[in-house]
Amino acid sequence: MSRLEKKCTFSTDLLKWFELFGRKDLPWQKNISPYRVWISEIMLQQTQVQTVIPYFNRFMKSFPTIKKLAQAPLDFVLQHWAGLGYYARARHLHRTANIIVTQYKNHFPDELTSLTQLPGIGRSTAGAILSIAFQKPTPILDGNVKRVLARVHAIDTDISETKTIQLLWELATQYTPKRNVHHYTQAIMDLGATLCTRTKPRCTACPVQKHCLAFLTDTAHRLPQKKKRNPIPHKEQFFFLIMNKKKQFLFVQNPERGIWGGLWCFPHCDTHQSIETYLYSTYSLTCRQIKILPPLRHTFTHFELNMIPVVLQTHTRRVSLGATQWIDLSQATQLALPAPIAKILSRYMHNTPTWEETSSCPV
Ligand code: SF4
């Protein structure tokens, strides 16, 4: 079979399969628009479809148009993102919405160069927007598509290497059809998400089995190749649930850049620091320790964090640092909280020590 024939039958076979078995009722597949495709693509990065669905629906209810998103305060946008992780994505969405509203007069750009210049939109996301929303034949290469193409061509070089990625882009470009590209893009993403999965590819049900070198050579289980990462370092920090006499808790807003950027958090410090010194030197607070809650582990891309929640009480209300707030527990759940902080809060709410409860270990 010539390369051209292979290319044609690959996309035709995939499209036929999509017509019969593809997912067509996901929320972002209805009322398709560049805005909805963009939001869904950003949410779906590193996140499962089932997790994204309620976030997407809630986001669309609050920000039905790009203008509404641009006009919303960043904090409100972050509230809608809280729990999805990788918060830079939400900040980029907000910035990009503002750029589109102001510089592009509310019209979503419809060509690759303009799209990839916007914050948070890479070549693959731009490809998805162009192919699905504008039906322009543009390839995508997200994680699922990389895996499918690496297997179909039995590419056994490291999938994170620049050369391998270049080769995969060439293949993705060759396979992308001129017609029906909106369905093709969804089909190849679907294939990677539902059949050609990372651990247990279901080759017997696969529509492109006859094109697949990994299937023919029985190597699908070990492709694509990925260089093993060094083990990630561990960190341990105290997270302080500081309660005042009004039973309000102290929350701190993280700076925009860095981990959990722009989100609200409990004051925290490394466990090798003295709690007393840290709270006094940072917030001018003197506190009394009430209780230590069970620790919580959270894995970031580059390190693992062991979080030790410490419940404290204080008589001081004045705090010497900006971007802090005393907040009632009932309102705290409305804040843009990172998922582990929301979890600590919920654990606390289900196991609340009273103000009167004392501790034998003052800080
Ligand atoms: Fe993936 Fe198997 Fe299909 Fe090849 S035949 S693309 S390995 S599911």
Side-chain angles (χ1 to χ4, degrees):
M1 190 188 294
S2 76
R3 214 167 170 170
L4 184 66
E5 281 167 340
K6 177 168 175 163
K7 171 193 148 180
C8 290
T9 56
F10 178 90
S11 53
T12 312
D13 292 344
L14 197 51
L15 280 164
K16 276 187 200 153
W17 169 79
F18 181 73
E19 204 179 319
L20 291 173
F21 304 107
R23 293 176 296 185
K24 300 177 196 78
D25 53 0
L26 297 171
W28 44 91
Q29 292 175 320
K30 294 169 195 155
N31 305 320
I32 289 178
S33 71
Y35 174 59
R36 288 170 67 85
V37 174
W38 170 50
I39 300 297
S40 66
E41 283 299 312
I42 302 294
M43 284 187 172
L44 285 163
Q45 287 168 9
Q46 338 270 351
T47 315
Q48 301 281 327
V49 164
Q50 290 311 317
T51 309
V52 165
I53 289 173
Y55 278 91
F56 180 84
N57 288 335
R58 199 158 72 96
F59 200 90
M60 283 301 148
K61 207 168 170 198
S62 297
F63 315 112
T65 62
I66 197 162
K67 200 169 172 186
K68 285 261 189 260
L69 176 60
Q71 286 168 342
L74 176 60
D75 205 32
F76 190 50
V77 178
L78 286 169
Q79 269 180 39
H80 287 71
W81 207 269
L84 267 182
Y86 303 96
Y87 296 94
R89 294 183 295 171
R91 293 195 297 278
H92 285 149
L93 276 185
H94 194 245
R95 272 178 57 208
T96 290
N98 275 283
I99 295 172
I100 293 177
V101 168
T102 50
Q103 289 181 21
Y104 290 91
K105 308 271 176 272
N106 224 359
H107 292 295
F108 219 98
D110 64 353
E111 50 96 20
L112 194 63
T113 316
S114 313
L115 277 172
T116 50
Q117 280 170 1
L118 293 166
I121 299 189
R123 183 175 168 190
S124 188
T125 304
I129 297 168
L130 291 171
S131 58
I132 299 172
F134 294 103
Q135 299 190 26
K136 290 189 169 189
T138 321
I140 64 154
L141 193 64
D142 67 359
N144 282 328
V145 179
K146 277 183 189 163
R147 186 170 56 251
V148 169
L149 294 180
R151 283 175 173 166
V152 168
H153 287 266
I155 294 168
D156 61 2
T157 49
D158 179 1
I159 197 149
S160 57
E161 265 179 23
T162 312
K163 271 193 172 171
T164 312
I165 294 171
Q166 271 171 2
L167 172 60
L168 291 170
W169 269 116
E170 280 169 29
L171 294 169
T173 309
Q174 286 170 25
Y175 284 129
T176 303
K178 295 220 172 348
R179 293 177 56 193
N180 262 336
V181 69
H182 55 312
H183 287 155
Y184 172 82
T185 296
Q186 300 193 48
I188 193 158
M189 288 195 289
D190 247 23
L191 181 69
T194 60
L195 293 183
C196 194
T197 53
R198 198 167 55 86
T199 48
K200 287 187 186 144
R202 289 201 288 133
C203 302
T204 45
C206 180
V208 296
Q209 187 198 81
K210 68 173 190 252
H211 307 277
C212 181
L213 283 177
F215 173 73
L216 294 173
T217 54
D218 196 19
T219 51
H221 57 286
R222 61 175 183 82
L223 293 176
Q225 295 278 334
K226 203 169 185 182
K227 203 169 71 189
K228 280 212 169 58
R229 288 205 316 176
N230 293 328
I232 54 173
H234 290 250
K235 260 173 99 167
E236 190 167 72
Q237 288 187 326
F238 292 126
F239 282 75
F240 305 116
L241 289 79
I242 306 170
M243 177 174 42
N244 66 21
K245 267 232 146 178
K246 290 188 167 176
K247 294 191 178 168
Q248 294 169 315
F249 283 79
L250 185 66
F251 282 86
V252 186
Q253 191 171 32
N254 284 342
E256 279 215 2
R257 283 183 181 273
I259 287 168
W260 296 332
L263 271 75
W264 290 86
C265 205
F266 295 121
H268 52 281
C269 72
D270 290 345
T271 49
H272 60 73
Q273 287 179 269
S274 145
I275 296 177
E276 187 180 30
T277 312
Y278 171 76
L279 290 175
Y280 192 74
S281 61
T282 315
Y283 300 102
S284 308
L285 279 176
T286 45
C287 302
R288 187 166 58 138
Q289 185 171 314
I290 300 290
K291 191 173 189 165
I292 294 183
L293 300 178
L296 194 85
R297 262 179 204 278
H298 185 72
T299 307
F300 293 93
T301 329
H302 298 299
F303 68 95
E304 191 173 78
L305 181 61
N306 192 33
M307 305 166 75
I308 304 180
V310 184
V311 184
L312 301 140
Q313 62 179 197
T314 182
H315 289 273
T316 324
R317 269 209 61 148
R318 280 230 341 242
V319 177
S320 65
L321 202 74
T324 52
Q325 270 194 55
W326 289 107
I327 294 179
D328 290 331
L329 265 195
S330 55
Q331 287 169 5
T333 49
Q334 307 299 312
L335 291 174
L337 302 174
I341 297 296
K343 210 176 218 171
I344 291 176
L345 195 62
S346 146
R347 280 187 187 177
Y348 172 82
M349 287 160 97
H350 289 101
N351 183 20
T352 313
T354 63
W355 171 263
E356 291 75 25
E357 199 173 340
T358 53
S359 162
S360 56
C361 45
V363 292

